[in-house]
Amino acid sequence: MDTEHVIDTFLDFFTSRGHRRVTGTSLLPPPGDPVLFTTSGMHPLTPFLEGRDHPLGDRLVNVQRCLRTTDLEEVGDPTHLTVFEMLGSWSLRSYDGPQSLRWGHELLCDGFGVDPGLLHVTVFGGDDQVGPDTGSLDTWTSLGVPVELTVSENWWSNGPTGPCGPDSEVFVWTGDGPPTGTPTTDDRWTEVWNHVMMRYRRHPDGSLTPLSDSTVDTGMGLERMLMFLQGKRSVFETDLLTPWVRGLPWDLPDNRLVVDHLRSSVVVIGDGVTPSNTGRGYVLRRLLRRVLTTLWRDDPDRTLSDLPEPLVRGTLTHFGQSGGVFEVLRDEERRFRSLVTRGRTLVSRYRDPLTEQDFRYLHETHGIPRDLVVVLREM
C-alpha cells in the first residue's frame, strides 16, 4: 500500500461507519491556544472532547499534520519525525471504547491486511485510583490478541488537570522471525495506533471524577503504518520519504536528520511561519540552522539553493500548501552565514577545552549555539 492508498483506506472505513471528515490542514493551533504547534490529531478537537457539540456530529475522522519539538533529539532513529501525520477517529459520546477497538481490529486485519499474529496490545492494568480497564481487556481477549497490562504507560492525559482516562496501544511486530516478548520488553514491537477512552476529569488536588459521557479518541501514525505495511526498516524508506532520501544533492554519510529537518521546515514555512528568535519562528530557525551546521561541517560551500525544486513542490502538494519556500530558505541561510563568519573569529579566541561558561556566553551574548561552536572549532 502506498501513502494515498493507506489514507483512503482509513478514511473510507470510518466514513462508511457514520464518521464525518474534519479538516486537519494546519500545524498552527486555533487563536488563543498557548501551544506553538498542533502536536496531535486530537488537539484541535479539545473543546468538543470536553463536551461542546461539534457542528458535523458525534463521529469524526481526519488526517492531521503535527509537529513535536520533544522528538527533535530522537530524529534519525527508525520511527521518529519532527513533522508527521496522524490518522484519527473520534466518538464524541456516540460509541464506547470496546466498539472502537473492534473496529480498529477489523480495519487492521481486513482493511490493511495485517496478519493478526503480528499484533500485540497494551491495556491499563489499574492503580490506586482506578481499576483495570476490563472493557478493553475483554475485547482484545475475545479477538485473540495478546494483551500486556501496564499502569502509567496506558493512562492518557492532556496535562495535570482536565479530561483523562485509560488508553490501549496497538503494536505490530517489525522484527525478523516470529514475534517474541511484549511491547515493554522488546522494542521490535512498534506502536502504530492508540485508542484513548476519556472517562474522567482530574482536579487540581489530583482527585478524579467520572465524566457524564465518555469520548473515544484514536490516533494512528501514518508514517509508522506505512513502514510496517511496506516492509521497511524505517519511516525514511517508505514511499512518502524516499524522494527526499534519494533526491538530496549532497553526499552525506547519514542524511536522515537533514531529510527530516528540511522537509519539516518546508511544511512549517508552507503554513506561513518565518524564522525568528521567538516562538514558532525560533523552532523553524533551529531546524534550518541544525541542517546548515550539518551540511557545512564537511563542506562550507553547500547551499540550500541546491535543493531540487521538485522535492519542495512535492511536499507542498502533499500537504495542500503553496510556494514562497526558497525565498525564506535563502534569507535564513544568508543570516546564518553572517553569524558563522562572525562566530569563527569569536570562537578562535578561546583555548581548548571550552567550559560550560564559555558555551553559555557565546550562546547568550552572541547567539552562537553549542553545536555550531563545536563545528567552528573543527573548521
Side-chain angles (χ1 to χ4, degrees):
M1 285 190 170
D2 62 16
T3 298
E4 184 177 357
H5 191 181
V6 170
I7 292 174
D8 289 345
T9 298
F10 186 92
L11 294 175
D12 291 347
F13 180 90
F14 282 102
T15 54
S16 69
R17 287 156 180 78
H19 294 66
R20 302 283 298 278
R21 182 173 181 180
V22 294
T23 58
T25 55
S26 178
L27 288 172
L28 309 186
D33 194 313
V35 303
L36 293 178
F37 293 100
T38 298
T39 59
S40 65
M42 59 76 60
H43 194 109
L45 295 172
T46 299
F48 308 103
L49 295 170
E50 292 182 341
R52 185 188 303 176
D53 290 333
H54 195 283
L56 293 180
D58 56 10
R59 296 185 181 189
L60 307 173
V61 63
N62 84 345
V63 183
Q64 173 67 52
R65 58 178 174 265
C66 309
L67 186 152
R68 290 182 185 169
T69 57
T70 54
D71 289 343
L72 282 182
E73 300 307 321
E74 297 184 77
V75 167
D77 74 3
T79 61
H80 284 89
L81 296 166
T82 304
V83 167
F84 60 95
E85 292 178 89
M86 194 71 77
L87 307 175
S89 66
W90 290 270
S91 163
L92 305 179
R93 298 158 291 280
S94 173
Y95 54 83
D96 59 12
Q99 178 62 75
S100 180
L101 300 182
R102 287 191 293 270
W103 276 342
H105 186 265
E106 181 182 351
L107 174 57
L108 287 170
C109 297
D110 297 340
F112 290 132
V114 176
D115 180 350
L118 300 180
L119 295 176
H120 205 307
V121 299
T122 57
V123 167
F124 180 68
D127 59 16
D128 56 359
Q129 287 184 290
V130 179
D133 182 7
T134 55
S136 295
L137 176 60
D138 292 344
T139 300
W140 287 123
T141 301
S142 69
L143 293 169
V145 180
V147 178
E148 180 180 21
L149 297 177
T150 75
V151 182
S152 60
E153 293 90 342
N154 284 109
W155 184 267
W156 185 94
S157 64
N158 198 30
T161 61
C164 56
D167 64 59
S168 182
E169 297 175 339
V170 182
F171 295 77
V172 293
W173 177 251
T174 58
D176 295 325
T180 62
T182 67
T184 64
T185 63
D186 194 320
D187 60 10
R188 289 174 294 179
W189 288 106
T190 299
E191 181 194 349
V192 293
W193 206 356
N194 190 16
H195 294 244
V196 179
M197 281 63 79
M198 282 177 273
R199 299 170 180 164
Y200 301 91
R201 179 177 295 278
R202 190 176 297 278
H203 301 281
D205 63 358
S207 63
L208 296 171
T209 54
L211 296 173
S212 56
D213 295 297
S214 64
T215 62
V216 183
D217 156 36
T218 87
M220 172 187 287
L222 171 62
E223 296 82 1
R224 292 187 182 187
M225 199 68 221
L226 288 173
M227 181 184 80
F228 174 76
L229 292 176
Q230 295 175 10
K232 304 302 183 181
R233 292 294 186 180
S234 83
V235 294
F236 294 93
E237 298 173 18
T238 64
D239 72 300
L240 186 61
L241 288 166
T242 48
W244 277 89
V245 173
R246 297 172 180 171
L248 290 185
W250 313 291
D251 184 17
L252 303 169
D254 184 355
N255 64 6
R256 287 181 177 183
L257 183 142
V258 173
V259 165
D260 171 84
H261 283 14
L262 269 180
R263 180 176 177 270
S264 297
S265 296
V266 168
V267 182
V268 173
I269 295 169
D271 272 347
V273 179
T274 55
S276 69
N277 290 327
T278 59
R280 298 184 184 106
Y282 178 71
V283 174
L284 175 58
R285 172 160 285 168
R286 185 182 176 196
L287 290 172
L288 288 175
R289 292 189 173 184
R290 290 185 87 188
V291 167
L292 291 168
T293 297
T294 301
L295 294 179
W296 293 345
R297 180 175 285 111
D298 299 323
D299 184 354
D301 293 329
R302 287 170 175 161
T303 173
L304 298 181
S305 295
D306 294 334
L307 192 63
E309 191 271 340
L311 281 182
V312 174
R313 186 176 65 246
T315 294
L316 292 174
T317 299
H318 174 76
F319 287 101
Q321 300 169 313
S322 55
V325 171
F326 277 100
E327 292 83 352
V328 176
L329 295 180
R330 282 192 288 265
D331 183 63
E332 183 61 16
E333 180 178 334
R334 190 163 47 246
R335 291 173 182 270
F336 194 47
R337 279 196 184 276
S338 176
L339 174 62
V340 168
T341 301
R342 180 166 52 88
R344 185 180 292 111
T345 301
L346 290 168
V347 171
S348 67
R349 300 172 183 171
Y350 290 80
R351 293 182 178 179
D352 285 326
L354 273 68
T355 66
E356 287 299 319
Q357 184 177 356
D358 294 333
F359 282 113
R360 190 179 308 111
Y361 177 80
L362 288 167
H363 188 204
E364 294 178 356
T365 305
H366 299 286
I368 308 174
R370 175 188 287 266
D371 52 358
L372 179 57
V373 171
V374 173
V375 171
L376 291 174
R377 300 293 281 186
E378 298 172 349
M379 291 173 63

